[in-house]
């Protein structure tokens, strides 16, 4: 009879060293996959966050542009008394800061009144006020749009209105006259700009960049005012 060699019982197993090496390789592969996985999600979150900022900036700037392009303005007949109430259609842009960051306000009369109920159907023009407020946790600002039909009592500063945009780092309005000179503020009832509208308003929105330590994302537009103050005064 032919003899067959006996099989070693431990020949089909793994040594402790082989198991440790396999675990080490598995850990490296798993770590690489996890890093790639989390990195991909961070990129996706960053892209979605920036897309949200672009969308909010586009909607906000479009709303401001529509309001400014529908501005209505009636020059004051006289400024003989400082106690006399200012005309409801004055154009006032005020330079302001919150915590060292630009938080300008702007108010003017416009035909772009938004109607939300039947009582406002015959409202016609309205006073539009853009106001920056500091709300909620964190350092981000909120931009509110307060829409009040003319000759109605507007809400107090810091109250009322609809949230137009949040997550802002700063809001800046700059006013340009017909000579191209820029100003940080404007008041159509003051001696410097009496019965005048700016030729153009520049709007700058800066958004908080929460994804990294890069500077805030900035969006800028310029809106030409269709009716000049000088022309209005001459027609009046």
């Amino acid at each position: 009879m032919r003899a067959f060699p006996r099989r070693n019982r431990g020949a089909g197993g793994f040594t402790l060293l082989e198991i440790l090496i396999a675990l080490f390789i598995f850990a490296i592969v798993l770590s690489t996959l996890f890093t790639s996985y989390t990195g991909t999600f961070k990129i996706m979150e960053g892209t979605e966050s920036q897309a949200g900022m672009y969308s909010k900036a586009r909607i906000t700037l479009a709303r401001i542009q529509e309001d400014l392009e529908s501005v209505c303005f009636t020059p004051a007949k006289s400024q003989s008394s400082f106690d006399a109430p200012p005309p409801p259609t004055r154009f006032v842009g005020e330079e302001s800061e919150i915590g060292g960051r630009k938080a300008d306000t702007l108010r003017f009369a416009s035909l772009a009144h938004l109607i939300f109920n039947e009582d406002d159907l015959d409202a016609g023009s309205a006073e539009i006020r853009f106001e920056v407020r500091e709300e909620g946790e964190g350092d981000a600002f909120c931009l509110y749009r307060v829409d009040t039909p003319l000759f109605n009592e507007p809400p107090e500063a810091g109250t009322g209105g609809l949230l137009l945009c949040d997550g802002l780092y700063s809001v800046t309005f700059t006013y340009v006259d017909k000579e191209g000179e820029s100003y940080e503020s404007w008041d159509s009832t003051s001696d410097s700009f009496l019965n005048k509208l700016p030729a153009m308003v520049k709007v700058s929105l800066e958004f908080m960049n929460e994804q990294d330590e890069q500077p805030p994302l900035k969006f800028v537009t310029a809106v030409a005012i269709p009716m000049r103050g000088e022309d209005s005064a001459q027609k009046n």
Side-chain angles (χ1 to χ4, degrees), residues 49-184:
S49 177
Q50 290 196 2
M53 291 181 189
Y54 276 92
S55 178
K56 286 192 289 187
R58 178 179 56 81
I59 295 173
T60 302
L61 293 177
R63 179 71 259 171
I64 295 175
Q65 178 179 350
E66 183 175 348
D67 289 337
L68 285 171
E69 288 179 344
S70 302
V71 66
C72 56
F73 181 70
T74 303
K77 298 293 184 180
S78 65
Q79 296 291 322
S80 58
S81 175
F82 287 100
D83 297 329
T89 55
R90 64 178 176 172
F91 188 101
V92 180
E94 298 177 331
E95 183 182 15
S96 181
E97 289 186 356
I98 299 178
R101 289 181 283 151
K102 295 282 288 186
D104 295 348
T105 60
L106 174 61
R107 54 195 174 105
F108 54 92
S110 175
L111 295 175
H113 173 57
L114 298 181
I115 299 174
F116 294 103
N117 56 67
E118 295 181 355
D119 296 336
D120 292 341
L121 289 176
D122 299 327
S125 57
E127 181 192 68
I128 306 299
R129 186 172 80 218
F130 293 103
E131 186 178 77
V132 180
R133 301 175 191 171
E134 195 174 19
E135 293 188 350
E137 298 180 357
D139 299 325
F141 293 155
C142 296
L143 179 63
Y144 277 78
R145 180 185 183 273
V146 184
D147 187 334
T148 307
L150 286 184
F151 306 107
N152 286 13
E153 187 68 25
E156 296 182 0
T159 63
L162 297 175
L163 176 63
L164 185 60
C165 188
D166 58 3
L168 292 165
Y169 179 82
S170 69
V171 177
T172 305
F173 293 101
T174 306
Y175 311 94
V176 183
D177 61 16
K178 68 175 185 177
E179 284 80 21
E181 191 74 23
S182 297
Y183 302 88
E184 299 299 322

